[in-house]
Amino acid sequence: MDPSFVQNLHNLLVQSTSNDTVQLKAATAQLNREFYKDPACIAALASIIASSPEQAVRQLAAVELRKRISQNSGDLWLQLAGEQREEIKAKLPELVLAETNNLVRHSTARVIAAIAYIEMPIGTWPQLLPYLEQTCISPQAPHREVGIYILYTVLENIVDGFESHLQSLFKLFAGLLSDPESSEVRITTVRALGVVAQYIDTDDKADIKSFQDLLPGMIQVIGQSVESGNETGARQLFDVLETLLILEVPLLGQHIPQLAQFLLQCGSNHSYDPELRVLALNALNWTVQYKKSKVQSHNLAAPILEGLMPITTEEEPEDIDDDAPSRSALRIIDCLATSLPPTQVFPALRQLIQQYFSSADAAHRRGAMLALGVSVEGCSEFMTPLMAQVWPIIEAGLQDQDGTVRKASCVAVSCLCEWLEEECAAKHASLVPTIMQLVNDPITQRTACTALDALLEIMHDVIDQYLNLIMERLVGLLDTAPIPVKSVVIGAIGSAAHASKDKFLPYFAPTMDRFKHFLVLTGEGEEQELRGITMDAVGTFAEAVGKDVFRPYFADMMQQAFAGIELGSARLRECSFLFFGVMSRVFGDEFAPYLPNVVPALISSCKQAEHGEEERLAVSNPEVAANFASGLSPANAIAVMDDVDISGAIEDSLDMDKLLEVNSTICIEKEIAADTIGTIFAATTTHFLPYVEQCTIELVGLLPHYYDGIRKSATDSLLEIIRTFYSLSDPQEWTPGFTNITPLDQRVKELIGHIVPYLFEMFESEDNKKVVSSLCVGFAETITKVGPAFLEGRLEHFASVAIQVLEQKAICQQDPDQDESEDAPEDSAEYDSILVSSAGDLVAALATALDGEFASGFEKFFPLISKYYKKNRSLSDRSSAIGCLSEIIGGMKEAITPWTEPLLELFYRALSDEEAEVQCNAAFASGLLIEHSTMDLSPQYLHLLTALRPLFVVAPDSPSAKINARDNAVGAVGRMLVKNTAAMPLDQVLPVFFEALPLGNDFLENRPVFRAIFHLFKTQPAVLAPYLDKLLHVFAFVLDPTGPDQVGDEIRAELIGLIGVLNREEPAKVQAAGLTAFVPGQ
């Protein structure tokens, strides 16, 4: 080796460590030009690592040597003579052992890994593994530290060639996990095991068993790191744990109870650093989410909740973005509620809430209220019948003497309003006055306004009695409140407009006047948030007051929205896009002139990157990085390039905060942009046609995006584009079935061909239940709109989506820890029920599009759907199963006949269900089965009437589900009367039938009801004579022009004809009923 070459290289490396930028640039340029393209630089850099007295130079030499070896698939390394390569391979391990500086040791270890990556797969470095094994069992701790670190870095880089050594490695690691002297050895061993875990296959039973045997030791090492306050080590080890949690191979299965207990103990221990406690709790959150079948089968929810509740009482940081153990604990309660069956979560939680809320300690009462709030999303259906016991706690919390408890109670009310609309709206008389008082209280002002916002959103007509008081109070706060409070006040005013509709008119102009100066704020942070929320509220106003009233403001507000886009804020762009969507819905064709400016902005948003300006941090999975800090995602799968980091010790000195600058607000902006595209096309129709192709291409490009909100929006918009494009093709009305298929316009057919295959492809790997649910609903809506032509050539794919979800075998439903031979547990989380219901919508749409041709499909689907009607299934499952079957009967019509008996047997069971919602669907389904089946069911009439009879007994103040059930029972009896009047005991049936009229809620059932009435008037008018006065009253009610349309055009026309006939026979009675105006010719 030329000594002058080595010396010159050394000198340039010294120059590269200088703080002088000019010198650094010159040295770098010369190194790249004269040295780094020459294979001789590899031996020279190795020599410098061995001989340079300066640690920074040795460090830089090691970093550069790794790069030279790795570049171009090892091309420069392989150009070296064989003897030189062997000499370097023999020398490097000795250099690492002799090196005293940790950073240089680690960087040199990575050089060995880079060489191993090239040489081990081709079998040219057989000495390495035995050498490392010997070093790992050296009597000297520093040698063991070096040995395991090299082994770890080698394993990180290569897999080929190690499979046959796994068992011997496991034996080695077993000893190193309990190294008596060095915590570094123990920690690096766990990290090495984390790498090995990623290469164990599900079929490698021996390797899985060996790995599982080491888990208790691994958990012990994590505990030691937390206990000793070793934050760097603990972070590295929690990374490993999170990797193990998301792997599909069930490595952790049998240890989940111990792991949950360990993480809970770490998270609960006040003597540990709060950041380490948060890491432990985040890992517990992932344990619940990714190992839910084990958490469920071991009934761990109750003990986990018991351990979390004390943590919820701890102090919360002021800043909403700061994490703390209390926030992590509440996140886990939320995760338990949404991931597990509510039967496992809410009973235990309810007991704890009652216990904590009765405490004299305000922190305990606050924790109870917050726990209640976060549990609502996943347990809302289960909670509904229990709300009578929950409301007293809420009402007491809102009036608690402690301000923090009152604030927490407002948070709980906001959550309840979102998920239990009907129950909360019914409590308006107590909630509105109480919350209005809290709006006046500076301590609770902001959270009270948020709660009021949520309440107003769901109040509808009831708001009329409060509107004046609410507007007076809220508008007053716009002058006095701090900016964050003004933001929630404006949100509440928007919700008031949404609920009150045209009743908001008197407040519209004065409120717009007050809002004007908020719409021109340009300051960052709070000012931008205020501007954005004001824009949202103005959009709500437009929908409330209508386009004619809003038109004078339209052009100016559009200009403000465009100006918001130019301010460089993702949040303001998001608000502008939402505003564009609302304006397009309100103004339709009048929005068209803005499309040349709006659409490019939406497309530009969809195209933008999300990672800010930081180029040197390469994130292999941005979602993982974005969510890590909040415990929403594991922290593995992050690769960091060290090209400009001369330390070369990324894993030791990584600034995670820097890494996590993935702009989640941009993801939300893109989600809104993608969603708005579909909204605007639907609203502006032909005007949007020039943009369809480009928008479709962009949206298809977003389908593989890592952020689920973007995938969902892209899916929804793509299917909306198909439906709108189809509507614009002047289609003929389709007829069911493939036999006489109505051909599609060629352009529509091509568009479907460009979109649908990508949606199927997305489904095959989609792991988010909300996205799959939205896809199923979108498919169902599109099938219903476009008809069987949409299914042509793709029927098997659509059916497969529904079958996988109903069998609970879709990717988003899979749990790697669940044995493949086991059925999915029948007791499931409420989100699982929503997904299954969406698949039912898809099946029903297929039946409607195919009519009798769906018979062969129904044979497959009937058992899959009917299994969800069992007593131990949730209300949602039972209700949607019967509802889905009713829709299928309506689609298949007489082709349903072969399944009449098993269906009727199922519906009898459902009619005696304890829940009115299920009875309602069962009544509807029974009626449709009677109507469409060609089997003579007259022998069943008395049995069915007996089953329906209890549904007719409804108190005036009954919940809407009971009124709906009665309406559907009336409709079923109407269908029975038309199908076979002779089989009906009219003297017993008609008094009950007519007493239930007019219908209360479900006006669609007026169709079978009035068909029955018309049928009786035509065939047996005498039986109706005793009921004529009652019937005329019902006619007047349904024809009232001041009310909603209750009967539709066809029934209305026939009814008016009937009134004309009755007027000739009983003019006085017709007049007394107020029906003279409807008599034809009057």
Side-chain angles (χ1 to χ4, degrees):
M1 192 189 321
D2 180 358
S4 64
F5 182 90
V6 177
Q7 188 59 50
N8 290 338
L9 177 55
H10 184 273
N11 294 342
L12 285 169
L13 291 176
V14 171
Q15 192 177 326
S16 295
T17 60
S18 160
N19 290 326
D20 185 324
T21 312
V22 176
Q23 277 199 33
L24 174 62
K25 280 187 175 175
T28 304
Q30 193 175 346
L31 284 166
N32 287 329
R33 189 173 60 248
E34 297 175 14
F35 290 87
Y36 288 162
K37 291 172 185 171
D38 186 339
C41 76
I42 289 178
L45 287 166
S47 169
I48 291 166
I49 294 170
S51 59
S52 176
E54 297 182 43
Q55 177 249 311
V57 172
R58 296 198 306 278
Q59 166 71 9
L60 183 54
V63 170
E64 290 298 340
L65 178 53
R66 181 185 65 76
K67 288 182 192 173
R68 301 316 128 208
I69 289 168
S70 298
Q71 72 186 29
N72 297 327
S73 304
D75 179 53
L76 214 57
W77 168 255
L78 293 171
Q79 285 181 41
L80 276 180
E83 313 86 71
Q84 278 187 294
R85 294 205 304 272
E86 289 304 317
E87 187 183 341
I88 292 169
K89 279 154 56 179
K91 186 163 66 171
L92 279 174
E94 295 170 14
L95 289 180
V96 182
L97 287 178
E99 177 59 57
T100 55
N101 181 273
N102 210 34
L103 289 178
V104 180
R105 268 211 309 264
H106 283 186
S107 294
T108 312
R110 291 198 173 277
V111 175
I112 294 171
I115 298 170
Y117 180 76
I118 299 164
E119 302 234 349
M120 285 199 70
I122 54 174
T124 50
W125 201 357
Q127 311 90 332
L128 180 63
L129 196 54
Y131 169 80
L132 292 178
E133 287 180 342
Q134 281 304 308
T135 312
C136 285
I137 55 172
S138 161
Q140 296 177 53
H143 285 196
R144 296 197 299 278
E145 288 169 1
V146 168
I148 187 60
Y149 189 81
I150 297 174
L151 186 52
Y152 161 62
T153 53
V154 168
L155 287 169
E156 257 194 327
N157 280 274
I158 57 171
V159 192
D160 293 340
F162 271 96
E163 298 93 332
S164 58
H165 298 284
L166 277 183
Q167 284 300 324
S168 62
L169 285 175
F170 285 139
K171 289 194 184 91
L172 175 67
F173 292 157
L176 296 178
L177 282 173
S178 54
D179 190 288
E181 291 177 82
S182 171
S183 63
E184 189 180 327
V185 169
R186 299 193 293 272
I187 289 168
T188 311
T189 303
V190 175
R191 296 174 74 191
L193 278 162
V195 175
V196 168
Q198 296 176 56
Y199 305 110
I200 298 176
D201 197 78
T202 313
D203 300 327
D204 300 334
K205 302 299 181 191
D207 291 340
I208 291 173
K209 170 74 170 62
S210 299
F211 191 95
Q212 288 177 336
D213 290 344
L214 298 178
L215 278 167
M218 294 170 72
I219 292 171
Q220 194 173 3
V221 174
I222 300 173
Q224 291 163 357
S225 297
V226 175
E227 197 169 345
S228 64
N230 179 353
E231 187 178 336
T232 303
R235 281 188 182 278
Q236 292 165 343
L237 297 180
F238 279 120
D239 284 358
V240 172
L241 187 53
E242 288 168 344
T243 299
L244 300 181
L245 285 166
I246 63 170
L247 289 175
E248 291 190 8
V249 181
L251 295 173
L252 292 173
Q254 65 190 49
H255 293 279
I256 291 300
Q258 299 93 306
L259 177 63
Q261 185 182 10
F262 162 73
L263 293 170
L264 201 49
Q265 284 171 348
C266 287
S268 305
N269 195 324
H270 288 257
S271 64
Y272 294 163
D273 182 284
E275 286 198 19
L276 296 182
R277 292 176 62 201
V278 166
L279 285 175
L281 292 168
N282 287 350
L284 178 56
N285 194 33
W286 273 76
T287 305
V288 172
Q289 194 166 337
Y290 275 87
K291 302 296 171 186
K292 68 176 185 182
S293 68
K294 294 299 179 194
V295 173
Q296 183 173 339
S297 63
H298 288 286
N299 290 306
L300 297 181
I304 290 174
L305 287 166
E306 207 163 320
L308 292 173
M309 280 307 291
I311 307 174
T312 67
T313 68
E314 294 178 29
E315 203 171 329
E316 275 199 281
E318 284 293 319
D319 192 329
I320 198 164
D321 295 322
D322 288 349
D323 218 337
S326 56
R327 286 185 175 158
S328 298
L330 289 165
R331 249 196 316 270
I332 300 167
I333 294 173
D334 181 14
C335 186
L336 285 164
T338 52
S339 302
L340 298 181
T343 48
Q344 287 205 0
V345 179
F346 196 71
L349 183 60
R350 186 175 149 213
Q351 270 191 320
L352 289 163
I353 287 169
Q354 286 170 332
Q355 176 192 328
Y356 274 67
F357 194 73
S358 59
S359 167
D361 185 342
H364 280 62
R365 300 197 300 278
R366 188 196 82 233
M369 294 310 296
L370 292 173
L372 174 62
V374 297
S375 68
V376 179
E377 180 183 354
C379 299
S380 57
E381 183 186 294
F382 186 84
M383 285 172 68
T384 304
L386 304 171
M387 285 307 293
Q389 289 93 54
V390 173
W391 282 120
I393 296 176
I394 295 284
E395 286 162 357
L398 289 169
Q399 297 177 28
D400 197 279
Q401 61 190 13
D402 185 89
T404 63
V405 179
R406 296 196 299 275
K407 282 170 73 173
S409 303
C410 288
V411 171
V413 168
S414 299
C415 298
L416 287 163
C417 287
E418 184 176 355
W419 297 101
L420 291 165
E421 292 188 17
E422 205 173 297
E423 287 71 18
C424 291
K427 296 293 289 185
H428 64 86
S430 63
L431 285 176
V432 173
T434 308
I435 292 172
M436 290 306 292
Q437 282 182 331
L438 296 175
V439 166
N440 282 344
D441 179 350
I443 297 172
T444 53
Q445 199 165 65
R446 188 175 181 181
T447 48
C449 283
T450 305
L452 183 64
D453 184 356
L455 183 58
L456 294 176
E457 185 85 19
I458 60 171
M459 276 175 65
H460 309 299
D461 296 345
V462 180
I463 196 175
D464 297 354
Q465 59 192 287
Y466 303 108
L467 190 57
N468 195 46
L469 165 71
I470 288 167
M471 289 303 297
E472 200 175 285
R473 189 75 50 84
L474 292 179
V475 169
L477 286 173
L478 292 179
D479 297 327
T480 58
I483 284 183
V485 176
K486 280 180 181 164
S487 292
V488 289
V489 166
I490 287 172
I493 292 173
S495 294
H498 169 78
S500 58
K501 301 288 186 286
D502 57 354
K503 303 278 193 330
F504 190 75
L505 273 171
Y507 307 97
F508 170 60
T511 309
M512 285 294 291
D513 199 46
R514 281 178 168 274
F515 278 13
K516 275 193 297 198
H517 61 285
F518 299 141
L519 289 165
V520 294
L521 295 172
T522 55
E524 291 189 3
E526 290 179 344
E527 282 198 7
Q528 282 187 351
E529 185 67 19
L530 180 56
R531 176 176 177 150
I533 285 174
T534 307
M535 186 63 75
D536 291 344
V538 170
T540 309
F541 293 175
E543 289 194 294
V545 301
K547 65 180 178 182
D548 293 333
V549 174
F550 193 81
R551 189 174 282 107
Y553 300 90
F554 179 31
D556 185 43
M557 289 300 108
M558 286 296 292
Q559 288 314 308
Q560 297 297 355
F562 286 124
I565 290 175
E566 299 305 318
L567 287 173
S569 157
R571 176 75 176 104
L572 286 183
R573 288 194 296 272
E574 171 201 331
C575 293
S576 292
F577 297 158
L578 285 167
F579 185 74
F580 294 151
V582 173
M583 290 299 104
S584 70
R585 281 200 304 269
V586 173
F587 285 94
D589 290 343
E590 292 179 55
F591 187 82
Y594 294 101
L595 289 176
N597 292 319
V598 168
V599 179
L602 295 171
I603 289 172
S604 172
S605 173
C606 290
K607 284 176 178 287
Q608 70 183 318
E610 290 116 37
H611 320 311
E613 300 304 314
E614 189 62 29
E615 290 178 354
R616 67 187 184 85
L617 297 177
V619 182
S620 63
N621 186 336
E623 179 185 25
V624 167
N627 291 329
F628 167 71
S630 63
L632 298 176
S633 190
N636 62 302
I638 297 175
V640 185
M641 307 307 177
D642 60 0
D643 292 26
V644 292
D645 184 341
I646 64 162
S647 76
I650 299 300
E651 68 285 348
D652 296 303
S653 58
L654 178 61
D655 179 357
M656 281 302 295
D657 291 335
K658 194 73 176 169
L659 183 61
L660 298 172
E661 284 178 1
V662 177
N663 199 338
S664 61
T665 55
I666 291 181
C667 284
I668 296 167
E669 176 206 326
K670 289 173 82 163
E671 175 186 357
I672 300 300
D675 194 58
T676 303
I677 288 170
T679 302
I680 293 179
F681 184 22
T684 58
T685 61
T686 53
H687 304 286
F688 196 89
L689 287 173
Y691 310 101
V692 167
E693 184 178 345
Q694 192 180 3
C695 286
T696 300
I697 291 166
E698 289 305 324
L699 291 169
V700 166
L702 292 176
L703 290 176
H705 198 280
Y706 63 82
Y707 178 56
D708 53 78
I710 289 175
R711 297 196 302 276
K712 180 180 178 299
S713 286
T715 299
D716 292 346
S717 275
L718 284 166
L719 290 169
E720 184 65 75
I721 284 172
I722 290 173
R723 293 191 293 270
T724 306
F725 202 66
Y726 169 78
S727 296
L728 295 176
S729 68
D730 194 23
Q732 303 170 43
E733 190 172 332
W734 57 265
T735 53
F738 289 131
T739 313
N740 297 308
I741 204 159
T742 309
L744 293 173
D745 180 291
Q746 186 59 29
R747 290 163 301 177
V748 176
K749 196 170 183 177
E750 286 172 9
L751 181 71
I752 292 170
H754 284 309
I755 291 173
V756 173
Y758 289 105
L759 295 175
F760 288 138
E761 187 181 320
M762 182 189 79
F763 169 76
E764 291 304 328
S765 59
E766 182 53 67
D767 61 1
N768 185 278
K769 288 173 185 168
K770 291 181 188 175
V771 177
V772 174
S773 179
S774 190
L775 178 69
C776 289
V777 171
F779 275 158
E781 289 175 0
T782 313
I783 292 165
T784 305
K785 178 85 174 178
V786 181
F790 185 61
L791 304 174
E792 206 172 11
R794 303 183 186 89
L795 180 58
E796 293 302 318
H797 290 291
F798 285 111
S800 172
V801 170
I803 288 167
Q804 286 184 58
V805 173
L806 291 169
E807 288 181 340
Q808 293 173 278
K809 290 182 178 173
I811 292 289
C812 64
Q813 297 164 296
Q814 287 180 8
D815 186 333
D817 284 288
Q818 187 177 305
D819 195 323
E820 280 185 20
S821 60
E822 294 176 33
D823 286 334
E826 289 184 356
D827 195 6
S828 58
E830 290 186 4
Y831 270 126
D832 294 304
S833 297
I834 293 167
L835 176 57
V836 166
S837 175
S838 305
D841 291 343
L842 175 53
V843 179
L846 293 173
T848 303
L850 297 177
D851 199 288
E853 292 175 33
F854 188 68
S856 58
F858 187 66
E859 198 161 337
K860 170 75 175 175
F861 281 111
F862 183 31
L864 289 180
I865 295 164
S866 60
K867 75 176 183 182
Y868 287 95
Y869 187 82
K870 289 182 183 173
K871 290 294 181 190
N872 55 342
R873 288 281 187 183
S874 68
L875 163 60
S876 178
D877 280 350
R878 301 197 314 276
S879 174
S880 63
I882 303 300
C884 174
L885 290 170
S886 70
E887 298 291 333
I888 291 171
I889 295 167
M892 289 177 66
K893 300 188 174 55
E894 57 272 7
I896 200 67
T897 302
W899 293 276
T900 301
E901 288 175 330
L903 281 168
L904 195 57
E905 184 189 334
L906 179 62
F907 298 156
Y908 278 138
R909 283 173 27 222
L911 282 168
S912 62
D913 196 281
E914 60 196 20
E915 293 290 345
E917 188 182 316
V918 180
Q919 295 170 342
C920 174
N921 286 347
F924 181 62
S926 305
L928 284 177
L929 189 62
I930 294 282
E931 180 180 347
H932 292 300
S933 174
T934 58
M935 183 181 286
D936 177 16
L937 290 172
S938 53
Q940 294 287 335
Y941 270 32
L942 286 178
H943 186 184
L944 188 53
L945 288 168
T946 305
L948 290 168
R949 182 66 181 87
L951 275 58
F952 283 79
V953 183
V954 178
D957 59 346
S958 293
S960 60
K962 280 192 174 295
I963 297 169
N964 287 336
R966 182 189 62 191
D967 290 351
N968 280 291
V970 178
V973 172
R975 289 180 166 95
M976 294 168 75
L977 281 164
V978 172
K979 188 70 179 270
N980 193 342
T981 317
M984 298 286 273
L986 295 181
D987 57 330
Q988 296 172 53
V989 170
L990 294 184
V992 180
F993 181 62
F994 292 138
E995 185 57 37
L997 299 179
L999 299 183
N1001 283 356
D1002 192 347
F1003 298 143
L1004 285 176
E1005 287 304 275
N1006 271 321
R1007 288 178 295 185
V1009 166
F1010 278 89
R1011 279 201 299 269
I1013 292 170
F1014 300 152
H1015 171 72
L1016 289 171
F1017 266 115
K1018 287 171 188 167
T1019 59
Q1020 303 185 47
V1023 301
L1024 296 179
Y1027 310 105
L1028 187 56
D1029 291 338
K1030 168 71 176 176
L1031 285 171
L1032 290 170
H1033 164 72
V1034 172
F1035 296 170
F1037 183 84
V1038 300
L1039 290 173
D1040 181 1
T1042 64
D1045 178 12
Q1046 298 187 36
V1047 290
D1049 294 341
E1050 190 181 331
I1051 297 288
R1052 182 183 294 101
E1054 194 167 349
L1055 180 53
I1056 288 170
L1058 175 60
I1059 290 168
V1061 173
L1062 293 172
N1063 187 58
R1064 290 196 291 275
E1065 297 169 6
E1066 299 278 2
K1069 288 189 174 186
V1070 169
Q1071 187 177 356
L1075 288 166
T1076 309
F1078 295 100
V1079 175
Q1082 292 292 313

